[in-house]
Amino acid sequence: MKLSKFCLQTCAFLIVLLIGILPVFADEHAAEETPPTTKKYVEFTLGGTYTDTKTVSTFGASSTKTLRGLFKKLDALKTDDEIVGVIFKIEGISLGWATLQEIRTKLNEFHEIGKETIGYLESGGNAEYLLAATMDRVVLMPTGSLNLTGLRAEVLFYKGLLDKLDIEADMLAMGKYKSGVEPYMRDGMSDAFRESMAALLDDLYAQLLNHIAESRDGISTETASDLINRGPFTAEEAKQEKLVDTLQYYDELVTTLKAASEDEEVQVVKPSFERPRTVPDMNSFAGLMQLFSMLNPPQRARAAGENQIALIYASGPILPDIDSPFIAMSAITPKELKKAFEKARTDESVRAVVLRIDSPGGSALASDLIWREVMLTQREKPVVVSMGNVAASGGYYIAMAAGTIVAHPSTLTGSIGVFGGKLNLKGLYNKAGLTKEIIAHGQNATLYSDYGGFTPTERERVEKMMKTVYEGFVNKAATGRNKSFDEIDEIAQGRVWTGKQAQELGLVDKLGGLDDALSIAKEQAGFAEDDKVNLIVLPKQRPLFEQLIEQMIEGTEGSIRTGWVTQSLQLTSTHPVLSMLGKHSQHIITWLSLFGFEDGTQIVTILPYDILIR
């Protein structure tokens, strides 16, 4: 009995002991099996060009990268809770200064939510560095270089070429600073042109110094100016001057991130939205159909609703209504913009309009037709303008009827002035062995002839028409800006201003980007801050094939002038000589469309937009 009692007591003791120590073993085992926390970094490439709209190919939109598309991707990275940081590989940036500022503003939003940003450069110039400098950390490849060398403005002058071809540009300008005719009539800048350009560069350079100073601890604007004067820098020099934080190859950067914490697993991954696409098999019918589908992806259905804001894009030179889809660049025409504004104006679900402008101007007549549409729409509902890299001359003309104008500090704007004239090709004809005999009835019948310059009476009529256009431009600007004619005339004269200068002069209301303009439009439309708003983008971009079918249905009325221009632009836009000129070729193509045909537009509101500021 005693033995049994002892056994029972022993068993009870062992059971209690097991109950007490089992949780301890379980906790230790569980602790051993708990996976380490994961820190996920995303690798994102910032490079190339980001435009407002996609260029249209034969069957659909091209792979052009858009600014809004970039911002959607950045927003996706910001709101992804699994991501603790982003490594931005920055390379080959080709952007205007206003677009750079808009992207910098967007990148700064990562600081507000506490996500780490790392800028990685193999090498870089002004543009690449301005983006990288917004990051928490700037990493440069050990053998790379930092090419901070300041800003320069380049203007290409064509007079020497025209002289060799025996072509005379018979041009007139209205406005002291309206320098658009100078590249065709001079070998270099006039004093007024140089003064205007120097003032532009002064302001843009000051903005560059401020961006560097506000982005890098220990660097003031004075220090930044001194550094630029001593650039470019080797990688080691850039680190010594605190322009960059670390010198590493990319794989070394990744290794450093992974070794930063023993208790955490660090992953560097590609964004989820960058899924690799397989190349379709072009030897099969199914592969061809897949190719067409990739070129022209289906549009996602957009739910109709009352809360809508229309976003209308106006990108490129402003040209007359040329019914041809063959122009190898984006352009603004009254016909397309009229459709867009009529849609926005008459659709009751659209409560406000944002007009995004990136244009140096062009045809005075076309600009006025678009201005009229903006003015009519502003009478019905709020119109807010968002200016991109340039909204000058005709680009400003179509903006000034809006209720609110928003520009970046570095937007090129203003240039309220006109010029006009024609190209006298008589020397070129004679050089080629061609002559013309002209029989004219009417004192000014040869005004538009390319076989001679203006006669005194023709010149008097052109000057009169130009003065009328200029005074109309100034009057409309004065009305839109609530100023007197004299107040606008004083700051007009064809002078180009930065957005910062334009705001100080009253030509612009606020400084900011497209998001700021959309916020203002939302407020003016009466939406609450937390209201969900649908955005409809106009004009709808259609494939080239669809545009051709539409023209076949509508017919080709009055096609002598249109046909000449279509063929000229189609041939010149693809000519190898023009392709060698790069961006300058667009200026030449635009010039041909404005001046290169009988009875064409002889009075234009356009910036000498082959100015390159780097």
Side-chain angles (χ1 to χ4, degrees), residues 192-239:
F193 191 3
R194 188 174 300 279
E195 175 193 343
S196 177
M197 286 305 305
L200 276 179
L201 271 221
D202 286 346
D203 194 36
L204 292 175
Y205 186 63
Q207 292 180 39
L208 171 64
L209 299 181
N210 284 330
H211 286 322
I212 295 174
E214 69 187 18
S215 300
R216 301 296 298 175
D217 291 336
I219 296 181
S220 64
T221 54
E222 293 78 11
T223 306
S225 178
D226 178 62
L227 287 171
I228 286 175
N229 287 335
R230 292 191 281 119
F233 300 95
T234 65
E236 189 59 44
E237 289 171 337
K239 185 174 183 298

Side-chain angles (χ1 to χ4, degrees), residues 114-189:
K115 288 193 176 181
E116 185 181 5
T117 54
I118 302 171
Y120 182 79
L121 298 169
E122 292 182 352
S123 281
N126 294 326
E128 289 80 10
Y129 184 70
L130 281 182
L131 294 183
T134 63
M135 314 292 175
D136 298 312
R137 198 186 328 171
V138 181
V139 182
L140 179 63
M141 193 171 78
T143 55
S145 60
L146 196 58
N147 299 313
L148 286 180
T149 56
L151 298 182
R152 71 182 188 274
E154 298 180 356
V155 181
L156 186 63
F157 288 81
Y158 304 98
K159 184 177 183 300
L161 174 63
L162 297 181
D163 288 345
K164 290 181 183 297
L165 296 173
D166 275 346
I167 297 175
E168 177 190 355
D170 198 350
M171 315 296 295
L172 303 94
M174 190 65 61
K176 176 183 176 182
Y177 297 97
K178 196 61 183 176
S179 48
V181 300
E182 292 193 15
Y184 305 92
M185 301 184 69
R186 296 175 59 96
D187 296 316
M189 296 181 185

Side-chain angles (χ1 to χ4, degrees), residues 306-320:
E306 293 301 313
N307 296 350
Q308 293 198 86
I309 290 178
L311 173 57
I312 298 178
Y313 281 105
S315 301
I318 300 173
L319 302 181

Side-chain angles (χ1 to χ4, degrees), residues 2 39 41 48 146 176 211 230 233 243 262 264 272 303 317 329 469 500 506:
K2 289 182 179 179
K39 290 179 68 175
Y41 286 83
L146 196 58
K176 176 183 176 182
H211 286 322
R230 292 191 281 119
F233 300 95
L243 290 166
E262 296 179 358
E264 296 174 311
S272 58
M329 60 181 180
V469 173
K500 178 174 174 290

Side-chain angles (χ1 to χ4, degrees), residues 153 184 263 362 415 547:
Y184 305 92
D263 301 328
S415 191
Q547 296 179 49

Side-chain angles (χ1 to χ4, degrees), residues 67-109:
L67 198 58
R68 286 190 67 238
L70 170 65
F71 287 177
K72 285 180 181 178
K73 291 178 179 179
L74 294 178
D75 285 337
L77 295 178
K78 278 194 315 177
T79 56
D80 190 336
D81 294 333
E82 294 184 357
I83 296 171
V84 299
V86 185
I87 306 172
F88 288 96
K89 298 178 76 173
I90 304 169
E91 54 192 36
I93 295 293
S94 178
L95 298 170
W97 287 96
T99 304
L100 272 175
Q101 287 180 330
E102 195 152 3
I103 295 176
R104 276 177 57 88
T105 302
K106 195 69 178 178
L107 293 174
N108 280 326
E109 293 178 6

Side-chain angles (χ1 to χ4, degrees), residues 68 102 311 313 354 356 386 408 512-519:
R68 286 190 67 238
E102 195 152 3
L311 173 57
Y313 281 105
V354 172
R356 172 71 168 190
S386 169
H408 288 282
L514 180 57
D515 284 347
D516 297 293
L518 289 168
S519 296

Side-chain angles (χ1 to χ4, degrees), residues 316-325 327 329-337 359 361-370 551 561-562 565-566 569 589-606:
I318 300 173
L319 302 181
D321 283 321
I322 301 170
D323 291 327
S324 171
I327 301 177
M329 60 181 180
S330 60
I332 305 167
T333 59
K335 181 179 178 182
E336 286 299 310
L337 267 292
S359 172
S363 162
L365 179 64
S367 298
D368 193 66
L369 288 169
I370 297 169
Q551 286 187 34
R561 189 197 79 160
T562 299
V565 177
T566 296
L569 296 181
I589 295 169
T590 303
W591 187 268
L592 284 171
S593 70
L594 295 173
F595 291 95
F597 51 85
E598 287 284 318
D599 299 335
T601 303
Q602 262 68 37
I603 299 176
V604 299
T605 53
I606 192 167

